Amino acid sequence: MIGLLGRKRGKGEGKASIVVDSARKATGGRTRNRVVMTMAVFFGIYATIAGRLVYLGMQDPETSTGPESRVTASRPDIVDRNGEVLATDIKTASLFAEPRRIVDADEAIEKLSTVLPDLEVEQTYLKLKSGTGFVWLKRQLTPKQQAEIMQLGIPGIGFRTEKRRFYPGGETASHIVGLTNIDNKGISGLEKYIDDQGLADLQASGLAIAKDLKPVKLSIDLRVQHIVRDELVSALEKYKAIAAGAVVLDVKTGEVLAMGSVPDFDPNNPFNAQDKDRLNRMSAGLFEMGSTIKSFTTAMALDSGKVTMDSTFDARRPITIGRQTIRDFHGKGRVLTVPEVFIYSSNIGSAREADVVGIEGHREFLKRLGLLDRMQTELPEVARPTEPKVWKKVHSITISFGHGMSTTPLQTAVGAAALMNGGKLIPPTFLTRTEAEANAVATQVIKPQTSEEMKYLYKLNATKGSGGSGARAQVEGYRVGGKTGTAEKVVNGRYSSDVRFNAFLAAFPMDNPKYVVLTIVDEPKREHPGVGATAGFNAAPMVANIIRRSASLLGVKPEFGQEGGATLASYP
């Protein structure tokens, strides 16, 4: 054995041994490479995870909780002409869940219901059991709700900071400013207009950054707006009406200084904003404007050159055309001059004025004054006026005193402004505008002389002792002029003498009119037994109250001790 063990290797055996040793070394090298590569892969994975954790740990919790929200787009502030805020963004918390992390959906819902009693249980349960990565549970929580939910300690529940629109004035200018939806997108009023002017595109591209958005300045004076709404709410209650509205318009620039329509809504809690009775009647409501339209009939006759202030019209007998008989409400039973037709609000006289101009001329004039077309302004809620498909003589006659065509109260005020400012029709605006800018977009629609004659008639109609219907609109020191309008409403296909739509169209100060004020009262009741329910008893006093309270704020100084009235014999 010793011999065997001690025997030297042969030449062949030595070579085999060398080969085996080389193979072993090669195998060991490959093994070490695999180990190193495996370690490198795992190191890379864990390094990536660690880096991500460090990154997330350094982020602001507000922007790192939950997925990126698509609903936090900023909006510019909306301010009145004096810089008072009408709408602004505020931060609010919204509740979300990660269903994959919810341990017990029933328990989570039970706990959330103690803070959110209006939570839809069935819908919420389906969301929590959906197995998705993210679902909204409740948008725009109050700070108290957020704090109470946090104390519940529910796994898989979190909060996302969003932007919510806040309206400091509440209902004061709700129809003008409008609304945004839950995603902070404008859906009505000037909020929608702002989106349509490019804000929506900026938001979609991520460029709507709060610090870069300049406030949008409106023509509205919040002080006057508050007065207007206050008077409308009082009138609604006092006259037991179904609705009331008013507008204050600058006749030289077309700026809307104030406009209201009640019932309205609270934009901070707009649960009833879509109700039918919350309609903005001033721009989106269509009405037969009654005798206020006689302003345009008389202006049309005078502007035609076929009628002068000295012309007369036979109002001794009613006019019968087909099955229609046209009568005066308080007829004088005699021949009337043009001023008398106006101040006595003669239907017969107005019909004869229209007859002088003719059917085609009549329609062309109303179209020229913008009363038959959809009004162009920033407010999206604007109705299209209605008129007969084919005008016949009977239509021209009834439209001459305000029946048979429907337009919006705001358009009526805009048309009246043209009668007061020298004959220029200026499109209304809810944004600030200079007089020079207004003149650039104005259209001359009547002769300056016609405007002077209409100012005289407005002043005459509101002068005490003249017999005009506008005396109750007078405000001492401010020389108010105007025209009443009492229109019978259609009930069951017929005009009803007991259901009325009343309006008063006014201007002041009458020596150089600066503002037009129009008030409307829908279906007013008699204030007291024996007291009429016509426009002179309700719409006219509303105008007086608005002017009395707001004139000084509008920069109109009262002038006492001067006779501001007019008489039938005083026109030059």
Side-chain angles (χ1 to χ4, degrees):
M1 182 176 289
I2 294 173
L4 288 173
L5 290 173
R7 186 169 60 88
K8 293 182 180 180
R9 296 174 181 172
K11 186 181 287 188
E13 289 176 335
K15 291 181 178 179
S17 176
I18 293 171
V19 172
V20 170
D21 289 342
S22 298
R24 286 174 178 171
K25 289 179 181 179
T27 302
R30 285 195 294 270
T31 301
R32 283 193 299 273
N33 288 340
R34 292 194 191 101
V35 171
V36 171
M37 291 178 63
T38 302
M39 291 175 64
V41 170
F42 277 100
F43 178 79
I45 292 172
Y46 283 109
T48 302
I49 294 173
R52 182 62 177 168
L53 289 174
V54 171
Y55 171 78
L56 293 175
M58 296 175 64
Q59 296 303 300
D60 184 347
E62 179 180 303
T63 59
S64 62
T65 302
E68 183 179 354
S69 175
R70 61 179 176 81
V71 299
T72 57
S74 297
R75 301 185 64 80
D77 286 353
I78 298 177
V79 299
D80 84 333
R81 67 189 302 112
N82 301 310
E84 295 293 329
V85 177
L86 299 173
T88 190
D89 281 347
I90 60 173
K91 288 185 178 180
T92 184
S94 290
L95 179 66
F96 71 86
E98 296 174 273
R100 294 171 186 170
R101 295 180 54 207
I102 296 296
V103 178
D104 188 333
D106 292 314
E107 181 183 9
I109 292 172
E110 184 178 349
K111 287 183 177 181
L112 288 174
S113 296
T114 62
V115 181
L116 306 172
D118 60 339
L119 193 69
E120 291 287 343
V121 175
E122 184 177 350
Q123 186 179 13
T124 304
Y125 181 82
L126 292 175
K127 286 182 178 181
L128 296 183
K129 298 295 287 184
S130 65
T132 58
F134 176 90
V135 291
W136 286 117
L137 295 184
K138 181 72 173 179
R139 305 285 287 277
Q140 299 181 351
L141 302 173
T142 65
K144 181 181 178 182
Q145 288 172 328
Q146 182 185 13
E148 291 178 351
I149 292 173
M150 289 178 68
Q151 292 174 3
L152 297 176
I154 305 172
I157 297 293
F159 300 94
R160 180 70 186 179
T161 299
E162 298 189 282
K163 291 183 177 68
R164 175 186 177 184
R165 209 61 166 158
F166 176 63
Y167 304 90
E171 301 96 333
T172 306
S174 56
H175 280 123
I176 297 173
V177 178
L179 285 171
T180 58
N181 61 15
I182 195 76
D183 293 331
N184 218 24
K185 307 292 185 184
I187 57 174
S188 69
L190 270 294
E191 293 278 31
K192 186 176 187 304
Y193 169 78
I194 292 170
D195 277 29
D196 293 342
Q197 297 307 298
L199 178 63
D201 294 334
L202 285 176
Q203 291 175 335
S205 62
L207 299 177
I209 302 171
K211 64 182 180 65
D212 296 333
L213 297 175
K214 295 181 180 180
V216 176
K217 181 179 284 190
L218 304 189
S219 59
I220 302 302
D221 188 317
L222 187 56
R223 302 167 301 173
V224 181
Q225 181 69 29
H226 171 76
I227 290 169
V228 165
R229 185 178 185 276
D230 186 56
E231 289 297 333
L232 295 181
V233 171
S234 297
L236 200 67
E237 180 179 356
K238 183 176 183 179
Y239 304 120
K240 304 296 186 292
I242 65 172
V247 62
V248 179
L249 184 73
D250 188 318
V251 305
K252 298 184 185 300
T253 66
E255 293 174 298
V256 177
L257 276 299
M259 188 179 77
S261 175
V262 294
D264 50 18
F265 58 90
D266 182 358
N268 295 310
N269 184 27
F271 68 95
N272 58 355
Q274 299 301 318
D275 290 356
K276 187 177 180 180
D277 67 334
R278 308 283 164 172
L279 171 77
N280 179 8
R281 288 169 168 80
M282 297 305 293
S283 64
L286 292 175
F287 303 96
E288 293 186 345
M289 294 299 296
S291 294
T292 58
I293 298 298
K294 292 174 182 174
S295 299
F296 305 107
T297 304
T298 298
M300 172 185 68
L302 293 169
D303 202 63
S304 71
K306 299 177 181 179
V307 173
T308 69
M309 294 288 277
D310 295 324
S311 299
T312 58
F313 295 95
D314 189 352
R316 289 175 294 181
R317 288 176 294 276
I319 297 175
T320 300
I321 179 168
R323 292 182 294 178
Q324 298 268 13
T325 300
I326 312 303
R327 296 182 174 86
D328 284 342
F329 186 60
H330 291 300
K332 299 298 179 181
R334 60 179 175 83
V335 174
L336 302 175
T337 63
V338 167
E340 288 176 327
V341 168
F342 191 80
I343 65 171
Y344 299 146
S345 200
S346 171
N347 294 340
I348 298 171
S350 296
R352 297 198 186 282
E353 286 177 340
D355 193 40
V356 168
V357 176
I359 299 171
E360 291 301 320
H362 190 181
R363 184 179 184 278
E364 185 277 328
F365 184 83
L366 294 181
K367 198 168 182 67
R368 194 194 318 165
L369 269 288
L371 295 171
L372 300 181
D373 296 316
R374 189 176 187 274
M375 181 173 54
Q376 298 299 313
T377 188
E378 299 86 10
L379 206 63
E381 296 78 24
V382 175
R384 183 179 297 278
T386 62
E387 59 173 314
K389 290 184 178 180
V390 178
W391 279 49
K392 298 180 180 179
K393 187 170 183 177
V394 65
H395 300 129
S396 180
I397 287 176
T398 57
I399 289 172
S400 72
F401 53 84
H403 287 279
M405 62 159 279
S406 296
T407 193
T408 69
L410 180 56
Q411 281 175 279
T412 307
V414 172
L419 303 185
M420 296 293 110
N421 67 10
K424 297 177 180 178
L425 183 68
I426 304 173
T429 182
F430 290 85
L431 304 176
T432 54
R433 179 196 280 163
T434 65
E435 194 167 332
E437 290 170 337
N439 288 333
V441 297
T443 303
Q444 192 76 32
V445 288
I446 61 171
K447 302 168 188 173
Q449 176 62 27
T450 305
S451 177
E452 290 300 316
E453 293 167 338
M454 292 308 301
K455 285 191 281 187
Y456 164 76
L457 293 177
Y458 263 47
K459 184 188 299 185
L460 177 65
N461 192 50
T463 300
K464 292 181 180 180
S466 68
S469 56
R472 289 181 178 83
Q474 273 300 328
V475 180
E476 188 176 0
Y478 290 108
R479 301 180 305 285
V480 181
K483 182 73 184 77
T484 53
T486 302
E488 297 176 348
K489 292 184 69 174
V490 176
V491 178
N492 297 325
R494 292 188 176 186
Y495 286 104
S496 171
S497 59
D498 297 324
V499 184
R500 300 180 177 89
F501 176 83
N502 293 350
F504 191 84
L505 188 53
F508 80 101
M510 286 312 302
D511 54 339
N512 181 24
K514 175 65 175 171
Y515 299 101
V516 159
V517 182
L518 172 64
T519 57
I520 62 170
V521 192
D522 198 357
E523 298 187 19
K525 310 301 184 294
R526 295 178 186 273
E527 183 183 355
H528 302 292
V531 176
T534 55
F537 290 97
N538 41 59
M542 288 168 61
V543 164
N545 292 341
I546 290 172
I547 293 175
R548 185 179 296 109
R549 296 175 61 184
S550 66
S552 60
L553 300 176
L554 293 170
V556 181
K557 297 180 180 179
E559 295 183 12
F560 300 102
Q562 295 186 15
E563 180 59 46
T567 65
L568 283 170
S570 64
Y571 187 76

